[in-house]
């Protein structure tokens, strides 16, 4: 590794040097801790005694070679800080970790698994002019395994069950809530300790690779949630790694986590290396970047005026985070052909999906949170009041082509007292289920790719619970089964009709017939394909 380039923030595969790497009958352990006074390795390879790491001058690069190290052995670092404190940490670049609440890293051979998805990798494309219908899911609660103490299936077992379900359902991609290692189940993976370690809840790193391989051979793309905005404060993680704020710039208000320091070049090398790790070593097709708004604003979540910060221009934008995101997306575009990035960005930040050279952030897609909020608000209004809120439906077309959008009906909309999607629908049983069919039909007709969270497809009434499986027994009821059958057919029609997705980002693919029929609650418009074929869309929202 070019150490100077690491300090410049320009090493994008730092995991190939840092971490634990098997070399013949030994392993080399390397870490970065510029403010530590002393570091030792303790693990199964040295009988849980302490083996000294050696620093290269005063560079902050520490390493040691330990003979006899084998794949699967546990280890961690003991960091002696300059202030005299001593803490134990997992390896920031570790490729696997123990099951929580244990927290050691695991020596792992990244060269062992061989993918068989060459045809998929060569053919895949980040082209926005393609059908995009994403099934978002939490791996641990889609279905539960009665034979496992924790109730989990393995990666491979889930693939065996999930792939036929997605193919039958007409989905193009699956998106997994974060699979990076995390200590608290209830964080759903959004408070990470292992930025290079897939969670051991469902198996080994090679098990995850095999699962992704299986999806690709079935023709299904895989999107992984990735969290560069913040990380958990657990003592064994990245926080105050060498006795100082090495990775963090401070607290993330309201979340109980640390925010990454994007102004530090070594942190940029760490994070971009992590992103490329999942794309190159695990063949993920895209990363959904979580919490982009929290990264872009210096005062995100800060209410106290006395605590507010401003950049050198006097604004509240985090210019270092902007530069980081632009570099991230530029590097991915050059290094990983066909891979894409999705921004979960909820503010009015402009040019999210424009190239950095044009002042954009460089993402391929942005979640359309405005469409989601307006649509769900409209659908929750009783029928007599909808005519006074018709603009909630038409406003999205004022900006629909300003970015490459995804229309998200995600996990965030069915938790924390917001109710399930069908639970928001007014009226009697019949009208609620009519709304559960109308909402995905509207999404399929509206410009933008589609995303829906598991359970939405059969109108589960309760909110999502991460600790139990979906209420599959509801499919014994003909009405719930009917919603599932409707959405299955809708998804296949969506994929077959090019007019519904081929020109998603231009007025060339859309013509209003009547946008203003608020009295009857009807929207009517035409979607068009490049070859001139068209689909007439007429939606009655009043019922």
């Amino acid at each position: 590794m070019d150490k100077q380039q690491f300090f410049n923030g320009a090493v994008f595969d730092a995991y190939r040097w840092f971490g634990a790497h098997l070399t013949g009958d030994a392993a080399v352990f390397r870490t970065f801790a510029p403010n530590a006074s002393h570091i030792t390795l303790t693990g199964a390879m040295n009988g849980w005694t302490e083996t000294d790491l050696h620093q290269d001058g005063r560079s902050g690069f520490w390493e040691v070679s330990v003979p006899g190290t084998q794949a699967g052995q546990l280890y961690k670092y003991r960091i002696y800080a300059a202030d005299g404190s001593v803490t134990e940490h997992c390896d920031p670049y570790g490729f696997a970790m123990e099951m929580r609440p244990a927290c050691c890293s695991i020596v792992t051979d990244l060269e062992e698994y061989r993918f068989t998805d060459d045809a998929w990798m060569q053919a895949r494309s980040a082209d926005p002019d393609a059908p995009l219908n994403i099934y978002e899911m939490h791996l641990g609660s889609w279905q539960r395994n009665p034979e496992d103490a924790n109730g989990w299936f393995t990666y491979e077992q889930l693939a065996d069950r999930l792939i036929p379900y997605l193919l039958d359902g007409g989905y193009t991609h699956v998106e997994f809530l974060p699979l990076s290692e995390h200590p608290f189940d209830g964080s759903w993976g959004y408070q990470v300790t292992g930025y290079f370690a897939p969670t051991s809840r469902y198996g080994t790193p090679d098990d995850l690779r095999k699962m992704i391989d299986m999806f690709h051979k079935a023709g299904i793309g895989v999107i992984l949630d990735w969290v560069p905005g913040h990380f958990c404060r657990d003592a064994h993680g990245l926080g105050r790694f060498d006795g100082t704020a090495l990775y963090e710039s401070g607290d993330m208000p309201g979340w109980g986590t640390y925010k990454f320091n994007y102004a530090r070049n070594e942190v940029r090398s760490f994070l971009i290396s992590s992103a490329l790790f999942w794309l190159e070593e695990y063949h993920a097709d895209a990363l959904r970047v979580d919490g982009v708004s929290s990264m872009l604003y210096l005062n995100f979540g800060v209410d106290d005026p006395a605590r507010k910060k401003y950049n050198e221009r006097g604004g509240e934008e985090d210019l270092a985070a902007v530069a980081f995101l632009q570099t991230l997306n530029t590097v991915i575009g050059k290094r990983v052909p066909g891979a894409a990035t999705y921004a979960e960005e909820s503010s009015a930040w402009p040019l999210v999906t424009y190239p950095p050279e044009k002042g954009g952030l460089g993402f391929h897609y942005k979640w359309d949170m405005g469409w989601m909020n307006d649509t769900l608000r409209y659908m929750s209004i009783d029928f007599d009041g909808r005519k006074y809120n018709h603009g909630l439906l038409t406003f999205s077309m004022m900006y629909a082509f300003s970015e490459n959008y995804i229309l998200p009906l995600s996990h965030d909309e069915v938790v924390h007292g917001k109710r399930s999607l069908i639970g928001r629908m007014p009226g009697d049983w019949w009208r609620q289920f009519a709304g559960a069919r109308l909402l995905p039909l509207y999404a399929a007709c509206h410009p933008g790719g589609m995303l829906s969270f598991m359970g939405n497809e059969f109108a589960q009434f309760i909110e999502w619970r991460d600790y139990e499986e979906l209420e599959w027994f509801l499919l014994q009821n003909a009405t719930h089964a009917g919603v599932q059958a409707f959405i299955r057919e809708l998804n296949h029609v969506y994929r077959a009709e090019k007019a519904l997705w081929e020109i998603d980002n231009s007025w060339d693919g859309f013509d209003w017939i009547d946008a203003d029929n608020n009295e009857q609650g009807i929207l009517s418009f035409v979607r068009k394909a490049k070859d001139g074929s068209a689909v007439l869309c007429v939606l009655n929202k009043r019922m």
Side-chain angles (χ1 to χ4, degrees):
M1 188 183 73
D2 186 325
K3 295 177 182 178
Q4 187 55 52
Q5 288 295 83
F6 179 77
F7 287 123
N8 292 340
V11 170
F12 305 132
D13 54 0
Y15 66 88
R16 298 185 188 279
W17 196 78
F18 288 116
H21 293 270
L22 292 165
T23 56
D25 62 348
V28 178
F29 297 82
R30 299 188 183 98
T31 194
F32 177 67
N35 299 298
S37 62
H38 185 58
I39 299 178
T40 62
L41 172 79
T42 180
M45 64 289 302
N46 62 5
W48 298 99
T49 60
E50 294 189 69
T51 300
D52 292 337
L53 276 73
H54 307 286
Q55 186 175 191
D56 181 7
R58 295 188 177 181
S59 64
F61 296 96
W62 300 77
E63 73 173 74
V64 65
S65 178
V66 181
T69 301
Q70 298 176 1
Q73 290 184 320
L74 304 176
Y75 71 98
K76 55 187 173 181
Y77 294 121
R78 189 163 291 158
I79 311 289
Y80 294 78
D83 63 3
S85 62
V86 181
T87 53
E88 292 186 342
H89 295 263
C90 62
D91 187 345
Y93 288 86
F95 300 139
M97 287 181 64
E98 286 184 286
M99 180 81 71
R100 52 88 180 113
C103 56
C104 284
S105 297
I106 304 173
V107 177
T108 302
D109 184 1
L110 281 183
E111 303 300 322
E112 189 168 330
Y113 187 80
R114 293 291 180 266
F115 280 93
T116 58
D117 60 351
D118 288 353
W120 169 272
M121 297 295 286
Q122 292 170 10
R124 71 177 184 175
S125 171
D127 183 1
D129 297 336
L132 191 56
N133 187 2
I134 303 165
Y135 188 78
E136 184 193 44
M137 64 175 296
H138 176 255
L139 206 56
S141 58
W142 182 68
Q143 291 182 354
R144 303 284 281 183
N145 183 0
E147 298 179 359
D148 180 78
N150 290 294
W152 299 321
F153 287 107
T154 66
Y155 289 115
E156 185 174 356
Q157 289 171 333
L158 281 161
D160 287 336
R161 288 160 173 75
L162 186 57
I163 287 172
Y165 187 78
L166 296 181
L167 291 174
D168 180 61
Y171 297 95
T172 63
H173 292 71
V174 61
E175 177 186 325
F176 295 111
L177 272 61
L179 294 179
S180 302
E181 194 59 83
H182 53 282
F184 177 47
D185 293 356
S187 79
W188 312 332
Y190 290 101
Q191 295 190 14
V192 181
T193 48
Y195 275 83
F196 298 84
T199 178
S200 58
R201 287 166 174 82
Y202 319 117
T204 67
D206 280 352
D207 292 336
L208 175 56
R209 287 168 150 183
K210 183 173 184 179
M211 184 182 78
I212 294 174
D213 210 359
M214 293 168 68
F215 276 106
H216 285 171
K217 286 187 283 188
I220 300 170
V222 176
I223 303 167
L224 300 180
D225 273 19
W226 183 64
V227 191
H230 62 116
F231 60 93
C232 65
R233 301 172 63 97
D234 291 58
H236 67 278
L238 297 175
R240 300 194 63 81
F241 182 74
D242 63 357
T244 69
L246 180 60
Y247 290 92
E248 63 268 32
S249 63
D251 296 330
M252 178 67 77
W255 290 2
T257 55
Y258 288 125
K259 185 173 183 176
F260 276 107
N261 183 357
Y262 308 107
R264 185 163 194 153
N265 287 335
E266 300 92 327
V267 172
R268 294 193 192 193
S269 287
F270 173 82
L271 284 174
I272 296 177
S273 294
S274 171
L276 289 172
F277 176 78
W278 298 108
L279 295 171
E280 294 181 338
E281 299 294 333
Y282 283 82
H283 286 200
D285 299 292
L287 299 176
R288 179 265 199 183
V289 182
D290 177 69
V292 172
S293 298
S294 72
M295 302 169 66
L296 292 173
Y297 297 96
L298 290 169
N299 299 313
F300 181 88
V302 177
D303 297 322
D304 182 358
R307 295 183 58 206
K308 290 199 171 183
K309 301 176 183 178
Y310 300 91
N311 62 39
E312 59 264 32
R313 303 173 186 172
E316 296 189 43
E317 303 87 356
D318 189 330
L319 301 180
V322 172
F324 162 73
L325 290 170
Q326 290 175 325
T327 302
L328 168 74
N329 287 313
T330 298
V331 171
I332 288 174
K334 291 178 178 178
R335 287 272 300 261
V336 196
T341 54
Y342 298 65
E344 190 236 346
E345 204 289 301
S346 57
S347 75
W349 190 281
L351 307 180
V352 172
T353 57
Y354 283 66
E357 58 267 24
K358 294 185 178 180
L361 296 181
F363 286 94
H364 293 85
Y365 298 95
K366 174 181 175 178
W367 277 26
D368 192 343
M369 309 297 280
W371 173 89
M372 177 275 297
N373 282 309
D374 288 349
T375 299
L376 293 183
R377 181 182 168 196
Y378 179 92
M379 295 297 289
S380 67
I381 296 171
D382 208 353
F383 306 109
D384 290 341
R386 288 184 175 182
K387 64 182 179 181
Y388 306 111
N389 292 275
H390 192 74
L392 291 172
L393 297 180
T394 57
F395 180 70
S396 62
M397 290 308 301
M398 300 291 289
Y399 63 86
F401 308 122
S402 62
E403 304 274 8
N404 297 331
Y405 280 117
I406 300 293
L407 310 178
L409 299 171
S410 77
H411 67 282
D412 277 332
E413 312 320 316
V414 294
V415 290
H416 301 323
K418 295 178 183 177
R419 296 173 291 170
S420 64
L421 295 189
I422 192 171
R424 299 168 186 247
M425 304 296 171
D428 58 16
W429 176 275
W430 184 92
R431 287 174 174 81
Q432 283 186 299
F433 276 91
R437 296 189 299 272
L438 180 59
L439 178 57
L441 176 61
Y442 174 48
C445 294
H446 193 285
M450 293 196 295
L451 179 145
S452 189
F453 187 59
M454 63 182 195
N456 293 343
E457 75 273 17
F458 59 86
Q460 177 169 298
F461 266 103
I462 66 167
E463 289 188 343
W464 168 54
R465 299 168 179 172
D466 65 276
Y467 50 85
E468 63 185 32
E469 74 174 17
L470 300 181
E471 293 192 320
W472 296 104
F473 64 85
L474 292 174
L475 292 173
Q476 299 172 31
N477 178 286
T479 315
H480 287 278
V483 172
Q484 186 189 52
F486 173 83
I487 292 178
R488 179 194 303 119
E489 185 66 20
L490 171 65
N491 289 345
H492 285 287
V493 169
Y494 170 79
R495 294 184 69 163
E497 294 289 349
K498 293 188 294 183
L500 294 177
W501 46 262
E502 196 171 47
I503 311 178
D504 253 353
N505 303 302
S506 165
W507 281 104
D508 293 340
F510 186 98
D511 277 329
W512 279 115
I513 296 175
D514 189 352
D516 302 315
N517 190 344
N518 64 304
E519 285 295 329
Q520 293 178 291
I522 292 176
L523 287 180
S524 53
F525 51 87
V526 174
R527 296 298 311 278
K528 298 179 289 186
K530 294 177 181 179
D531 62 6
S533 61
V535 171
L536 170 64
C537 303
V538 183
L539 301 139
N540 177 8
K541 300 285 187 171
R542 286 289 299 279
M543 291 184 282

